[in-house]
Amino acid sequence: VDAAPQTFTREFILFHHVYSAQKRKHIVTWANEARLRGFLLAGKPGLLCVEGPESAVRDYVQQVRRLPWQRMTSKVTHKAAHHCLDDFARFEWAAQKPRGAERAAGCAERAWLGVRV
């Protein structure tokens, strides 16, 4: 029996800031538990990029949204109908510590424009 094709998603989420070590730990742990890939640019602004099966990404984003945030906004969502995101550069999960607003702001700008980060 053939399973219905699964939609894969990459979502970029912008935060006012991400400084809390506890929040960063949750973001990475929950992504690993859900077998999602992505990265987090901590600092002000903060940027989260996560990719995987659409339903897993949706559930993960809802879980992250439950944490207290000053502002959390989904900016860009890319979807692909095949079993892996061949159209996207592949990356493994990585969390980065704050390195200055310019770096995070530059990545956030590229995400808004739909440029691969």
Side-chain angles (χ1 to χ4, degrees):
V1 177
D2 290 332
Q6 190 174 29
T7 301
F8 284 73
T9 301
R10 174 180 283 170
E11 189 162 348
F12 292 91
I13 300 166
L14 184 66
F15 299 89
H16 180 268
H17 66 272
V18 181
Y19 293 125
S20 166
Q22 189 69 18
K23 286 181 183 177
R24 292 195 319 256
K25 181 179 176 184
H26 285 313
I27 287 169
V28 172
T29 300
W30 293 340
N32 287 332
E33 288 171 357
R35 302 181 68 111
L36 299 172
R37 295 180 306 200
F39 61 87
L40 172 66
L41 293 176
K44 182 177 181 180
L47 177 69
L48 172 63
C49 177
V50 62
E51 70 179 19
E54 183 177 30
S55 59
V57 170
R58 184 179 49 246
D59 294 345
Y60 171 76
V61 170
Q62 288 175 353
Q63 189 174 23
V64 171
R65 211 173 276 287
R66 288 186 200 111
L67 295 171
W69 299 105
Q70 185 169 344
R71 186 176 69 232
M72 176 181 168
T73 308
S74 179
K75 285 294 182 183
V76 178
T77 302
H78 298 205
K79 294 186 180 187
H82 35 80
H83 70 282
C84 68
L85 295 170
D86 295 328
D87 296 341
F88 305 125
R90 297 184 72 173
F91 47 79
E92 297 300 319
W93 184 260
Q96 298 191 9
K97 295 182 179 177
R99 290 189 184 176
E102 294 81 16
R103 182 162 184 259
C107 289
E109 264 181 42
R110 289 192 297 271
W112 285 333
L113 298 173
V115 176
R116 293 182 196 149
V117 197

